[in-house]
Amino acid sequence: MDGGDVDMAAAETNEAVPELDDMKNRLKEMEDEAAALREMQAKVEKEMGSVQDPGASAAASQANREEVDSRSVFVGNVDYSCTPEEVQQHFQACGTVNRVTIRSDKYGQPKGYAYVEFLEPEAVQEALLLNESELHGRQLKITAKRTNLPGMKQFRARRPSPYMGFPPRGATMPPYLFSPYGYGKVLRYRMPMRYSPYG
């Protein structure tokens, strides 16, 4: 019986050795493939120049954005039924149009303005001469596109409205009375003073 057990164990190890060798070979092939892919990726990144630090890439993208904006114009009062091809034809005389962007809201309806990007910066001056020209019966408002600075959002403080919400604590606002006839001056009603028995 002991001899039979030894023979079975030897047979199992003989069968397991080729499977183990196959697995080791496949693992080595996969590691070689992964190393080759990493090498190719590093080569592509080096060629593309994306191995820069984030600050430099942000500055480069900001400079690129400013360069694109210097070749672009803002077109206001664009008809809602106007297509980008029609806007492109309108500005074709100024220079080569690279891109036309008609902004739309979240429902896909046009907002009534567009941006036109040219290939040459000189075309912007020609496009500005088309200010107040007509397209689809509407007078266009054309200005040079400005570059938005990140983090510099225009904040407008809201004034408190006497008609919305509660008045600020400590402020007393007299009620307004209107003429019963619907015209005339607005009259202010003064609250009578309360007399205190203590003085």
Side-chain angles (χ1 to χ4, degrees):
M1 202 161 199
D2 286 342
D5 288 338
V6 172
D7 289 337
M8 290 179 81
E12 284 179 10
T13 55
N14 288 340
E15 290 174 8
V17 169
E19 287 179 13
L20 187 61
D21 289 338
D22 285 344
M23 290 176 74
K24 286 181 182 178
N25 288 339
R26 278 189 272 164
L27 180 63
K28 184 170 177 17
E29 288 173 9
M30 289 170 56
E31 286 176 350
D32 292 342
E33 237 178 85
L37 283 172
R38 279 194 297 269
E39 194 175 300
M40 286 173 46
Q41 185 177 2
K43 184 179 175 185
V44 168
E45 284 179 353
K46 191 175 182 182
E47 287 175 4
M48 298 290 287
S50 62
V51 188
Q52 300 173 353
D53 59 307
S57 65
S61 68
Q62 179 67 21
N64 185 28
R65 191 176 306 132
E66 288 176 5
E67 191 269 329
V68 168
D69 288 348
S70 70
R71 296 182 284 122
S72 303
V73 292
F74 168 83
V75 184
N77 200 23
V78 176
D79 188 36
Y80 295 118
S81 65
C82 213
T83 64
E85 291 80 18
E86 292 168 338
V87 175
Q88 181 178 357
Q89 281 181 338
H90 188 76
F91 287 96
Q92 200 66 43
C94 302
T96 309
V97 176
N98 188 29
R99 180 187 323 169
V100 175
T101 306
I102 296 179
R103 299 294 303 201
S104 57
D105 62 9
K106 63 182 180 180
Y107 303 110
Q109 301 297 320
K111 287 187 172 183
Y113 64 92
Y115 295 104
V116 179
E117 179 188 332
F118 296 98
L119 286 178
E120 314 87 23
E122 298 82 28
V124 171
Q125 298 305 319
E126 296 291 324
L128 292 176
L129 297 175
L130 290 177
N131 189 23
E132 298 182 358
S133 62
E134 284 196 8
L135 180 65
H136 280 247
R138 296 184 75 164
Q139 197 173 29
L140 299 179
K141 175 70 176 159
I142 301 168
T143 58
K145 186 179 179 193
R146 61 181 174 85
T147 302
N148 289 334
L149 297 175
M152 296 297 288
K153 182 176 180 185
Q154 297 288 331
F155 176 73
R156 296 188 325 225
R158 293 183 61 173
R159 293 185 341 175
S161 172
Y163 304 108
M164 292 177 22
F166 295 103
R169 184 175 267 167
T172 57
M173 306 211 37
Y176 290 96
L177 293 178
F178 298 97
S179 171
Y181 304 109
Y183 58 89
K185 290 186 175 183
V186 174
L187 303 174
R188 289 186 182 210
Y189 176 75
R190 290 190 98 172
M191 298 289 289
M193 294 187 65
R194 291 190 180 152
Y195 294 102
S196 170
Y198 301 110

